[in-house]
Structures are given as C-alpha cells and as structure tokens.
Amino acid sequence: MAARRGRNPAGRYKISLGKNGKWQAYPRVGTLPNGRPKRVHIERDTAEQVAEAMHELFERVKAAGGTAPKKIETVSEWLDHYLEHIVRPVKPQSTWKAYRSLVETWAKPHIGARRLAGTRNQLEPEHLDGMYNAMRKGGGRKGKGMAESSLVKMHAILSKAFDVAVRRGRALRNVCDLIEAPTARKRKPDGYSVKDAQALLTAAASDRLEARWYLGILLGPRQGEALGIRWPHLDLTAVDEHGEPRPRINLQKQTQRGTWQHGCQDPRACAARKCRTRPCGPSWAHGCPDPGECKRNPRWCPERLQTSCRRHRRACPPPCRLGCTRHAMHCPERVDGGLLEVDLKSEGSVRTLFPPPQVVDALERWRQTQMREAQARGMRWDDQGHVFTTKDGKQLDPRRDYDEWRALARRAGVPMKRLHAARHTAATLLVATGTDISVVQDNMGHADIRTARGYVGPAEDLQREATARLANALFAGELGAMLAAAQAGRTTPGA
C-alpha cells in the first residue's frame, strides 16, 4: 500500500502513514560527524500525536542549546545519574547518603517508573502530591508518618535534580515548580540551661577529655570540626602588637565516619558471600526443672523450649534481596570508609576560634596528659597529630565521642541530649551575655545569619529576671499605687 503523506501543523516535516498502519516522521535534530543530518524516528497512532511529539522534541533541542537530546529517561534512571555523577563527587558522603536514602525509599517506588518528558507516562504534579501524602501517612518510625522536614528535604532534592534535567534538555519542565512546596516549622533549639551548663563544666573538670568538653560548650564547634583539629592548628601562645595573649584555634578540616563502598568489579558476587538467605532460626532453652542435672546442650534437652533469636538484640534483619550489593565492609577492595578527613561544611565554616583562658589551660593540661600516655605506650603509640585521641594515640571516633558525652551527662545529672546541644548552648549563652548576633554567626561558622538566629534559644533564667525587673518597674511608684487602689475598689463589698 502506498504511504499517504501530509504535513504537520507547523508545516516543517512530512508525516506519512507507514505500511504498519502507524503515522511516522523523521525530523532532523542535528548533524552527524560526517556532516550529514541526524534524524530521529517518531511513530504514533495518529498524525496529531506525531506532530505533538515533534513539537516536544524541538522544544527539548532548544532547551539543550541546539544539540540532539538524549533518550527520554525515567525518573529513576535520571535520579541514579544525578546522585552518582553530580551529587556524589562534590557533596560530603553523609549528604549523598541522606539523599540516596530518601530517593530509594520514596521517590523510586512512587514516581520512579514515570518519564521525565514525553506524551506517555510523563511525570505530573499529581504524582508528586501522591508521594508526599504517602510520606505523611506512614513509613516513619513506630508506624508514624515522616516528619515535614523530610518532605522539605525530598522536595529540595527533586527540585534540584529536575532543574538540572531541564538545563541539559532531558526534560521540558520542572514539575516541582508546579506544586505547593512542603513547609515545616523550624526545630526549637535544644540547648542546656545556664544551670545545666555549669553542671556539665563541673563534671568535665575531672574527665579525661576535659578540654574536649570545655571547647564544645564554650565555643560550640561541630563534632566533626572538634575531632578534626590537629596540634599545628593551635596557637596558644600567640600575642598581639601590645604583648597581650591572643590564643587561637584554626578550623580547617573535619572528621567524619564514611560508609564503606565496594571497590571490586562485581559487587553482587562479592556481597553474595555475606548475604542472608534465610531468616534467623529459633533458639532453644532448657525446659527441665534443673538444667544443672540435665548437663546437655539446650538443643538436646528432652523438655526444651523454643525461644526467639538471641543473636540479635533488636529485630532480626530480613533476608537480603536478590542482587544485593550491600556488605561492602567485608569487600577485600573496599573504599571510602572508616574515619575520613574532609572539608568543612561550607566556606564560612573555615574560621578561627579565640578560646578563653579556661579552655587554653585545659588544652595545655591535655597536651601534658597526651605526652605521658605516648611515653607510657612507646612504639604502640599511633601518632597522627590529632588533638583529641584515644589512649593509644588513634583519632577519636565520633561514636566513641558520643558515648563519652552520654557518660558526662549522667555524671553531671543533667537531661541526656544529643551532642549538638552543646553547640546550641554556646550560641544561646553568647547572646544572653550581650554578644551581637553577627558575632555569634561568625563564631558558629554559619553562612546565613538566619541560621544563627535559629540556633539561639531563650535563656530562661535571664528571661525570668527581665520580666521581674519589668514588673517591679511598672508596679512601683504612682502606677503601682493607682493599680493597688483600683484592685481595692473592685474587692470592696457593694462596689
């Protein structure tokens, strides 16, 4: 059958009916290396669908700067490319892991099969609304929905990813711009009160890591920043032009614990050696009256009792999925794990701290303690130049640092809070003592002053004193006499 020809509404390229009964066209989208025109094949059920597909194709070529667009990808394929090749090389590993966790848990199951562009199965704003509603309803801890802050983070990840896709011609629009972005209330600062801070400092005076806690509570560096300090970064004997002491601590790097990644060629085969293929089996316990007389393994006790798994303290992990690529810590060629020394969070985080005399004295005492420990261990001392170390000279692990913080809070008799509460406490006390918020911003290393304001919580004792002074001023003198007379008139019988 001869193919019928016609023109699309724009009148630029012919649309013909092929032998298979479908309408098709071969629009030009660029030039091949040999100089010939590069064309793509578009085939649809109707001529109008072909014209619509060509119009979208030309829009994508225009968005890509006149170059031929790549194959239309699904959301899942594009997010994999975005996280692996755009986010991972420039962002800290902790940020990349947080992004990947949200994408794997929510984005891929709900919108991963949708296409970035096209006339069929295209991602629409309603699909994002459905995903956000699913996140609100369930999937969080204890059967609760995800926090609104997680929705805000997810929206930011998708918005940035789709924005890059539009700039590269992979999509024609950013769907995140077509919906109302989720919002979340800022978390209130969880710092300690003045009384609790004094209790922590008192308890820290007898602690091995006294200087670590003085530094955290009084100056407020992040945990990774404090653990990343090396002795060459300290200048505790510096003086100004007048001979006044001006000690300083230069924050240049931070310590983070990285998650091991496979460095082998076949992660699936490597992980298969450690994959769980079946759930945990039952454990056995003695059911006889006197296990001492039984003298058998509980498994062979005639009256044995079946109990749950005793290997895991929490719920037993489920069997691994088919094609699992986890268990990278057992890979013989593992990479990117352990304690890593990375750049600080932002450019504003590279700063200088000016410790008070109490912190300087504590650091000097800590230097002497570290020298005695190194002398006692001799060749076993692992000198890496870090200020805060274990008793054998190794860099202090963030997990162990947190355990030491919990022990300090128990000894001080204060409520147990996360280690970041020391940072909030430092910011709050600085403002409470009359420090300008811009100085607090520089001391905390925040790029935006609004972030510094969010770190500052109310000092309850100072607020109570302020309201008491206000009440005393208002109720004293003539105003106080007038108010007292008015109150007496209202309480007079028959008034």
Side-chain angles (χ1 to χ4, degrees):
M1 181 178 75
R4 289 182 290 176
R5 298 178 179 271
R7 288 188 177 274
N8 65 344
R12 296 180 60 186
Y13 295 95
K14 291 184 179 181
I15 300 177
S16 60
L17 182 64
K19 295 182 180 181
N20 59 356
K22 292 183 178 292
W23 293 87
Q24 56 189 357
Y26 294 87
R28 177 177 176 175
V29 293
T31 306
L32 295 173
N34 59 6
R36 292 188 176 185
K38 180 178 181 179
R39 300 182 181 275
V40 296
H41 180 215
I42 297 179
E43 186 178 78
R44 298 290 187 271
D45 293 332
T46 64
E48 289 76 11
Q49 292 178 353
V50 175
E52 183 179 352
M54 281 198 296
H55 177 73
E56 180 185 345
L57 176 64
F58 296 143
E59 290 292 330
R60 293 178 58 214
V61 171
K62 182 178 178 181
T67 60
K70 303 294 183 180
K71 178 183 177 183
I72 296 178
E73 297 153 315
T74 63
V75 173
S76 179
E77 293 172 346
W78 173 248
L79 290 178
D80 286 340
H81 174 82
Y82 173 74
L83 292 178
E84 187 66 25
H85 300 285
I86 299 177
V87 174
R88 189 174 183 181
V90 299
K91 294 288 187 180
Q93 192 191 70
S94 57
T95 302
W96 169 72
K97 285 170 53 181
Y99 286 9
R100 187 184 64 175
S101 176
L102 281 175
V103 167
E104 294 287 344
T105 306
W106 294 104
K108 285 188 176 182
H110 287 84
I111 61 174
R114 303 290 175 179
R115 296 163 68 91
L116 290 176
T119 57
R120 294 176 293 181
N121 200 27
Q122 185 181 8
L123 179 66
E124 299 293 343
E126 292 75 17
H127 301 145
L128 288 183
D129 293 334
M131 181 185 68
Y132 291 151
N133 290 333
M135 294 176 68
R136 292 187 180 99
K137 289 180 181 178
R141 301 180 193 177
K142 301 179 181 180
K144 298 181 180 179
M146 301 291 289
E148 287 295 325
S149 59
S150 298
L151 275 69
V152 173
K153 185 181 296 184
M154 170 64 83
H155 187 79
I157 296 171
L158 296 179
S159 180
K160 184 64 176 178
F162 294 155
D163 186 52
V164 175
V166 171
R167 293 202 307 267
R168 298 189 179 188
R170 306 295 181 90
L172 294 177
R173 59 178 183 173
N174 187 340
V175 184
C176 293
D177 296 337
L178 306 179
I179 67 172
E180 293 293 331
T183 58
R185 292 184 178 181
K186 291 186 177 180
R187 185 176 182 178
K188 292 184 178 181
D190 58 349
Y192 286 102
S193 64
V194 176
K195 182 179 179 181
D196 289 344
Q198 291 173 340
L200 286 169
L201 293 174
T202 303
S206 58
D207 192 273
R208 175 179 175 271
L209 296 173
E210 171 196 19
R212 165 71 181 97
W213 310 129
Y214 279 17
L215 180 69
I217 297 173
L218 297 178
L219 298 179
R222 300 177 179 92
Q223 183 190 30
E225 294 173 345
L227 300 183
I229 300 175
R230 295 177 178 268
W231 284 113
H233 300 162
L234 273 65
D235 190 357
L236 303 181
T237 59
V239 296
D240 59 9
E241 60 274 11
H242 303 292
E244 297 292 333
R246 291 291 185 269
R248 60 188 61 203
I249 302 174
N250 299 316
L251 300 182
Q252 301 177 5
K253 294 289 184 177
Q254 64 174 331
T255 297
Q256 288 187 352
R257 170 166 284 281
T259 303
W260 291 108
Q261 304 295 325
H262 282 281
C264 54
Q265 297 295 330
D266 191 355
R268 292 188 178 183
C270 182
R273 298 180 291 110
K274 294 293 182 179
C275 282
R276 298 174 57 86
T277 58
R278 62 184 65 182
C280 291
S283 297
W284 303 102
H286 282 282
C288 52
D290 191 354
E293 290 186 2
C294 184
K295 296 182 180 180
R296 298 181 181 180
N297 187 298
R299 182 181 182 87
W300 310 113
C301 177
E303 304 178 23
R304 66 182 183 182
L305 300 176
Q306 182 174 336
T307 61
S308 58
C309 173
R310 291 182 293 180
R311 179 182 177 185
H312 301 100
R313 296 182 180 180
R314 300 179 180 179
C316 297
C320 297
R321 298 178 180 178
L322 184 64
C324 172
T325 58
R326 301 174 62 188
H327 316 290
M329 65 177 299
H330 303 289
C331 176
E333 303 177 27
R334 61 184 185 180
V335 294
D336 297 340
L339 295 181
L340 304 176
E341 191 174 63
V342 298
D343 293 333
L344 297 182
K345 186 175 181 181
S346 63
E347 186 177 349
S349 298
V350 181
R351 62 195 188 279
T352 300
L353 300 179
F354 301 93
Q358 294 83 351
V359 176
V360 174
D361 295 340
L363 286 171
E364 292 290 359
R365 290 193 295 270
W366 169 246
R367 192 199 298 266
Q368 299 299 323
T369 301
Q370 198 176 68
M371 292 175 62
R372 290 194 298 269
E373 292 177 348
Q375 186 177 4
R377 279 160 180 76
M379 297 296 294
R380 294 179 298 169
W381 178 262
D382 186 9
D383 188 8
Q384 299 177 355
H386 290 93
V387 174
F388 301 111
T389 60
T390 60
K391 292 184 178 181
D392 55 2
K394 294 182 179 179
Q395 186 178 6
L396 192 61
D397 189 288
R399 297 175 184 173
R400 183 168 182 177
D401 183 57
Y402 178 68
D403 292 338
E404 297 286 348
W405 168 257
R406 296 183 62 182
L408 176 69
R410 285 194 297 268
R411 291 197 305 271
V414 300
M416 179 57 212
K417 297 182 180 181
R418 56 181 185 155
L419 183 52
H420 206 68
R423 184 167 166 82
H424 288 281
T425 303
T428 300
L429 297 183
L430 282 173
V431 173
T433 53
T435 307
D436 187 79
I437 189 64
S438 61
V439 178
V440 177
Q441 175 191 358
D442 295 337
N443 197 75
M444 296 291 109
H446 291 137
D448 193 339
I449 196 171
R450 291 174 295 182
T451 308
R453 294 184 184 277
Y455 264 63
V456 176
E460 296 181 1
D461 298 339
L462 299 178
Q463 282 187 315
R464 191 178 298 109
E465 294 177 4
T467 54
R469 287 195 303 268
L470 175 62
N472 292 334
L474 291 177
F475 285 93
E478 296 181 0
L479 179 60
M482 292 173 61
L483 291 174
Q487 292 176 355
R490 284 196 300 269
T491 57
T492 301

